[in-house]
Amino acid sequence: MSYHHGDLRRTMTAAAATAVAERGPAALSLRELARIAGVSHAAPAHHFGDKAGVLTAVATEGYTLLAAALKEAGDDLLAAGIAYVRFAVDHPGHFAVMFDRSLLHADDAGLRAAEQASAAALAGLAPDADASRAAWSVAHGFASLWLSGAISGPDVVAAAEPVLRRMAPPRGSSRG
């Protein structure tokens, strides 16, 4: 096996996210990850320790990507909701593991920092904590339903926007 991958950890994290998106987290093994990434069977254990370590890396990357998408949406709650749904659809492997603590090393400092960064990107978009949780629940629920096939259509944003609009005041209106 060749180790000329550049950033081997990143290569394996990307391979794991793809495998999770295709077959779910239960189907991923360190041996399969090594095969997919084209590395020795010992490489995933060396870099991540165990399967939970791999999935923690995927979740950490997911929270980092989500935080960036939310920051790009600016201070508009509707835009943030659409960014959230787009993130889930564009990164289904990440999304599949981010919110399932049973799969992760939940005490991992990098994971906790990435979670806090994504939470900070949402902070202040809604008038209070309850409104923020309601908006998050709607965006997360819509994304989950879309990914499962329970909601479908030609364009996820066109389908999500009228639903998310019910939770977000029009741009420029008072938040409370």
Side-chain angles (χ1 to χ4, degrees), residues 80-164:
I82 290 169
Y84 190 98
V85 170
R86 272 193 182 137
F87 163 79
V89 171
D90 291 346
H91 302 281
H94 295 87
F95 191 75
V97 300
M98 289 167 60
F99 305 98
D100 187 344
R101 295 259 185 235
S102 70
L103 300 174
L104 310 173
H105 293 301
D107 60 345
D108 180 84
L111 174 64
R112 291 195 344 236
E115 288 172 328
Q116 290 170 357
S118 68
L122 285 172
L125 292 178
D128 57 53
D130 289 338
S132 180
R133 280 190 290 273
W136 178 29
S137 296
V138 171
H140 188 88
F142 187 93
S144 296
L145 291 167
W146 183 273
L147 289 171
S148 74
I151 297 174
S152 62
D155 178 21
V156 67
V157 172
E161 187 171 353
V163 175
L164 297 172

